[in-house]
Amino acid sequence: VSFKGEIVIGSTGPLTGGAASYGTSVKNGAQIAVDEINAAGGVNGYKLVYYFEDDEATGDKAKAAYDKLMDKGMQIFLGAVTSGASISLNDAIKEDGILQLTPSASQLEAVSVNDNAFRICFTDPIQGQAMAEYAYNTLKYTKAALLFNQDDSYSTGVKDAFKAKFKELGGKISVETSFTDDAKDFNAQLTQIASSDAEVIFMPIYNDKVAQIALAADAKGVKLPMLGSDGWDGVLGKYLKTDAEKKLVEGAIFL
């Protein structure tokens, strides 16, 4: 195929660190689409060129990754993958006037501040509300425990929306407990939950922590059903590998 020019698309997202599975998924998915489109003749005769830079899901790394993409001639920004990284780029995106289309940054502020920014996925408030309605109306739970990452704006945002909607529907938050980014031990939180009257645990967190908590809950004999948000995606295979480990989240539901 001979092309009359190129359209340069760039993404930033985590390829290393705890959230690497999300960045890898976006990178691979976008590359498949770019390859298919180019094989079919491109876009109006223009070839798509795709670059992806690792931002480790952090703001400062995202800025450096974004600048690197701009140096490569990026015309369309397909990112960032995570909310915190995306928010850190709001000013640069506005200043550069570049079209931003994030596949997965779900926090409200990730794109809502710029006219040239759009998202494909749902928002955190919608996630939290939908899971509260599902827990209360469909699964018939009336008492919930909340377990979230206090250092993560995604986690706290989904938690806040779930809590407000669940209470509005008539549900009770039996216990609300949190952990920090570097947490390795969840015994205190699980003890608190186990001694409450909660019927279910809602955990709007990323997949690495889901696995750690599932293993800790099993060791502690906490058998409450678990509900989660889209951050759970990828927990099987990457973090829970054996049949015995996978059984720990059997019956769990995430959005």
Side-chain angles (χ1 to χ4, degrees):
V1 182
S2 65
F3 296 102
K4 57 187 181 187
E6 294 180 343
I7 299 168
V8 182
I9 302 169
S11 288
T12 78
L15 296 179
T16 53
S21 65
Y22 311 114
T24 304
S25 294
V26 169
K27 179 177 187 262
N28 292 346
Q31 191 63 61
I32 288 169
V34 165
D35 292 345
E36 286 179 351
I37 291 163
N38 286 338
V43 179
N44 295 332
Y46 286 82
K47 181 184 181 181
L48 298 183
V49 177
Y50 183 59
Y51 297 117
F52 194 105
E53 293 291 337
D54 185 12
D55 65 16
E56 297 177 37
T58 65
D60 55 342
K61 295 270 171 51
K63 188 67 178 74
Y66 174 85
D67 289 343
K68 205 181 280 187
L69 291 169
M70 290 301 285
D71 289 343
K72 289 181 176 180
M74 176 171 66
Q75 296 161 290
I76 298 166
F77 182 47
L78 187 72
V81 169
T82 57
S83 291
S86 184
I87 289 167
S88 74
L89 297 174
N90 277 342
D91 290 347
I93 288 162
K94 184 176 185 177
E95 195 177 315
D96 293 333
I98 192 166
L99 171 67
Q100 177 196 11
L101 184 64
T102 174
S104 49
S106 53
Q107 196 177 337
L108 210 54
E109 298 78 12
V111 302
S112 60
V113 298
N114 289 329
D115 292 339
N116 53 320
F118 301 87
R119 71 159 53 84
I120 295 169
C121 62
F122 40 66
T123 64
D124 290 346
I126 289 172
Q127 276 204 77
Q129 290 160 15
M131 285 309 287
E133 286 168 1
Y134 186 72
Y136 190 86
N137 294 330
T138 305
L139 301 177
K140 305 299 182 190
Y141 293 125
T142 58
K143 297 186 279 287
L146 303 178
L147 180 53
F148 64 99
N149 182 348
Q150 68 187 46
D151 289 340
D152 181 23
S153 55
Y154 156 75
S155 186
T156 55
V158 179
K159 180 269 296 181
D160 288 344
F162 178 96
K163 180 181 174 181
K165 177 55 77 172
F166 196 70
K167 288 168 73 173
E168 181 193 307
L169 292 167
K172 171 193 170 189
I173 303 300
S174 299
V175 59
E176 182 175 333
T177 183
S178 65
F179 56 87
T180 56
D181 264 339
D182 56 0
K184 298 276 190 291
D185 187 322
F186 302 93
N187 272 320
Q189 293 90 337
L190 289 166
T191 299
Q192 219 180 327
I193 290 167
S195 61
S196 76
D197 61 354
E199 303 161 323
V200 64
I201 312 174
F202 179 60
M203 307 193 307
I205 55 178
Y206 286 142
N207 51 23
D208 56 334
K209 297 298 185 193
V210 173
Q212 290 172 36
I213 291 166
L215 290 164
D218 179 59
K220 214 170 165 48
V222 179
K223 302 293 186 195
L224 286 174
M226 295 183 287
L227 301 178
S229 54
D230 66 330
W232 280 49
D233 192 31
V235 69
L236 294 181
K238 183 170 174 62
Y239 293 105
L240 299 175
K241 296 176 181 175
T242 67
D243 287 345
E245 287 174 350
K246 289 174 184 178
K247 273 199 166 63
L248 301 180
V249 290
E250 205 166 276
I253 300 167
F254 70 89
L255 186 143

